[in-house]
């Protein structure tokens, strides 16, 4: 068991693997969550770091086989991983927040909007790391630090 776990959260790479590789080298995470829109970039990350656990979900631009969402646990913290399009996040986060509460997660990680978000919402923490591909915006990703069952999230 890792006493201080670091998880990188990426979304919307849209064919730009380089920024993810740079972030992994810089941050030295214990785990990665990839939230879709170029599932193949997430698979390439797995190939580049075969010893690094990477959870992948598909986005609205992905036709590869893979899950649309995952429920995962890390050091006692439960996460919902989704791209967000099936929760209509471009129209607001209410549906996602409600579903996350029903699933009993502490943190709902999503992408799709290309806009970063890091905030609580009715008992669930919402994390959108923005776009690691820099599509129409700056390159961004999330860093989740977990120690003693408590999490902290930073946007970079």
């Amino acid at each position: 068991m890792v006493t201080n776990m670091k998880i990188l959260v990426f979304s919307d790479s849209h064919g730009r693997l380089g920024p993810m590789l740079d972030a992994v080298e810089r941050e030295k995470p214990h785990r990665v969550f990839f939230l879709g829109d170029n599932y193949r970039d997430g698979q390439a990350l797995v190939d580049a770091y075969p010893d690094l656990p990477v959870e992948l979900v598909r986005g609205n631009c992905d036709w590869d086989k893979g899950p649309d969402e995952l429920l995962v646990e890390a050091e006692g913290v439960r996460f919902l991983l989704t791209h967000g399009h099936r929760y209509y996040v471009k129209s607001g986060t209410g549906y996602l927040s409600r579903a996350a509460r029903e699933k009993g997660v502490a943190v709902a990680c999503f992408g799709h909007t290309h806009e970063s978000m890091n905030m609580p919402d009715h008992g669930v923490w919402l994390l959108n790391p923005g776009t690691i591909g820099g599509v129409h915006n700056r390159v961004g990703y999330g860093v989740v630090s977990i120690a003693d069952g408590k999490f902290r999230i930073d946007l970079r």
Side-chain angles (χ1 to χ4, degrees), residues 60-73:
N60 62 298
C61 295
D62 295 320
W63 303 104
D64 305 86
K65 290 184 179 179
D68 291 318
E69 74 177 42
L70 291 171
L71 294 171
V72 299
E73 187 171 319

Side-chain angles (χ1 to χ4, degrees), residues 5 7 32 42 59 66 78 83 91 97 99 106 120 143:
M5 176 172 275
I7 303 167
V32 172
R78 288 179 41 93
H83 184 63
S91 298
S97 180
V143 179

Side-chain angles (χ1 to χ4, degrees), residues 46-62:
V46 170
D47 293 340
Y49 298 96
D51 295 329
L52 179 63
V54 179
E55 276 79 33
L56 306 161
V57 296
R58 297 181 313 157
N60 62 298
C61 295
D62 295 320

Side-chain angles (χ1 to χ4, degrees), residues 95-106:
Y95 183 39
L96 173 63
S97 180
R98 186 170 39 260
R101 283 191 307 276
E102 289 171 2
K103 294 173 189 292
V105 302

Side-chain angles (χ1 to χ4, degrees), residues 78-81 96 100 105-110 124-128:
R78 288 179 41 93
F79 295 85
L80 169 63
L81 309 183
L96 173 63
V105 302
V107 182
C109 300
F110 68 102
V124 174
W125 201 272
L126 300 178
L127 168 59
N128 183 328

